[in-house]
């Protein structure tokens, strides 16, 4: 199979590229990534010389580039990870979220349609469903009600996939997964940010009352889910994936502190995120039934592996802490 993976230098994409090259020695993977602040070729060092892997630096909104890649590389399948992915950044400036997440998806869809691509897997998010109260779970038929500019842009892309399916019989499939964690995650997201701050004995900024709930999934479980959708998913369908690990943010932060043997006095409650979704929780029974998928790792196992990875990879950490990152941190957290 010849697969175009977009956004394969980011956190989930890089984990997925490696997972697939390892599992399917006869598949070819072309990774198209523009390398934003979140794209990092260090994540792919082990596979850079693999004959089944090729990296192309480029933008998913670039129509002629996409058409050339689909033709020259005889692409059969597209898996679209490329996105702006951080809610806080989308609150500061939504523009690039619309360009990449909505327009970029449309460019990929139109090119894929023209080249008769066999399957298009859109990596979406549970955040398109909005926020839950204390009860209930997101199912694939929960109405879409995004609350942040990020989730609105991801919803726009999902609607385009479904519109192409209904209008053109286009072979699109959508995955909606809960919060991922694991190695190579950029330290703007909760778990790596807290690990890195704790390692430096810096304050751990918990938004609001710390009682917002996220369902955490170890990234390898998500990769297995995407693999299952690629091979067994039905066109025009949506599949939810979750980790069966609902936690309040404060509990998550306390677990990290305990595993790093750091004091809870590092916790600092800061101003809440505007429009902060209260709770995400996933019903993934459709994936269980139709794809025979369920998460393998408990949060306790996954978080230990994740912390060990950050402890063992200080070089990766120091290369990620660029001036751009330090400026971002200063800007986002100084007035909180
Ligand atoms: P990430 O921010 O780590 O990586 C995104 C990658 O996309 C980066 O390598 C970046 O360089 C690339 N990219 C951005 N704009 C591009 C463009 N215009 N052209 C080409 N490449 C571009 O994100 P992630 O956490 O790995 O998320 C990957 C996908 O999974 C996203 O679509 C996200 O919405 C979705 N998702 C993420 C989570 C999560 O918890 N992280 C959960 C569910 C779904
Ligand atoms: P995040 O990792 O940004 O993922 P998302 O907003 O897409 O779920 O945040 C996870 C949760 O952690 C969310 O409720 C916001 C909260 N959070 C903090 O309390 N402090 C932080 O510094 C960050 C980045 C997030």
């Amino acid at each position: 199979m010849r697969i175009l993976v977009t956004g394969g230098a980011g956190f989930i994409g890089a984990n997925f590229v490696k997972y697939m090259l390892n599992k399917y020695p006869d598949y070819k993977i072309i990774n198209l990534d523009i390398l934003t602040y979140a794209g990092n070729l260090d994540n792919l060092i082990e596979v850079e010389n693999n004959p089944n892997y090729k990296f192309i630096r480029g933008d998913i909104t670039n129509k002629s580039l996409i058409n050339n890649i689909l033709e020259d590389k005889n692409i059969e399948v597209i898996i679209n990870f490329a996105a702006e992915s951080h809610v806080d950044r989308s609150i500061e400036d939504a523009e690039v979220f619309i360009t990449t997440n909505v327009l970029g998806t449309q460019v990929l869809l139109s090119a894929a349609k023209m080249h008769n691509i066999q399957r298009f897997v859109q990596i979406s998010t549970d955040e398109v469903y909005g926020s839950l109260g204390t009860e209930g779970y997101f199912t694939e038929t929960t109405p879409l009600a995004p609350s942040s500019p990020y989730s609105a842009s991801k919803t726009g892309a999902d609607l385009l996939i479904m519109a192409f399916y209904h209008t053109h019989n286009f072979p699109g499939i959508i995955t909606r997964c809960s919060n991922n964690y694991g190695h190579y995650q950029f330290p703007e997201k909760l778990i790596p940010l807290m690990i890195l701050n704790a390692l430096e004995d810096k304050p751990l900024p918990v938004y609001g009352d710390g009682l917002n709930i996220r369902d955490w999934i170890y990234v390898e479980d998500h990769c297995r889910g995407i693999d299952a959708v690629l091979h067994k998913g039905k066109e025009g369908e949506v599949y939810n994936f979750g980790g069966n690990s609902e936690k309040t943010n404060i509990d998550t932060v306390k677990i990290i502190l305990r595993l790093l043997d750091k004091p809870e006095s590092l916790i600092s409650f800061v101003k809440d995120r505007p429009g902060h979704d209260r709770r995400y929780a996933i019903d993934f029974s459709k994936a269980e039934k139709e794809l025979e998928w369920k998460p393998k790792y408990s949060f306790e196992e996954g978080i230990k592996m994740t912390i060990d990875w950050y402890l063992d990879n200080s070089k990766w950490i120091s290369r990620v802490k660029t001036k751009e990152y330090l400026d971002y941190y200063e800007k986002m957290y100084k007035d909180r």
Side-chain angles (χ1 to χ4, degrees), residues 59-84:
D59 193 331
I60 59 164
T61 66
N62 183 338
K63 229 192 284 187
S64 55
L65 173 69
I66 304 298
N67 280 314
N68 287 342
I69 294 173
L70 297 190
E71 192 163 319
D72 291 354
K73 307 287 177 208
N74 279 322
I75 298 295
E76 294 164 307
V77 164
I78 299 178
I79 308 181
N80 182 28
F81 292 87
E84 288 295 329

Side-chain angles (χ1 to χ4, degrees), residues 85-88 127 150 179 188-191 193-194 205-207 212 214 216 249 273 276-277 280 333:
S85 67
H86 192 37
V87 172
D88 291 327
E127 300 190 27
Y150 162 68
N179 286 62
E188 63 187 353
K189 305 282 174 21
L190 179 77
I191 287 182
L193 186 142
M194 297 297 166
V206 174
Y207 299 166
N212 299 67
R214 295 293 181 266
W216 293 100
N249 292 335
R273 170 188 283 173
H276 196 173
D277 284 339
Y280 301 147
Y333 289 91

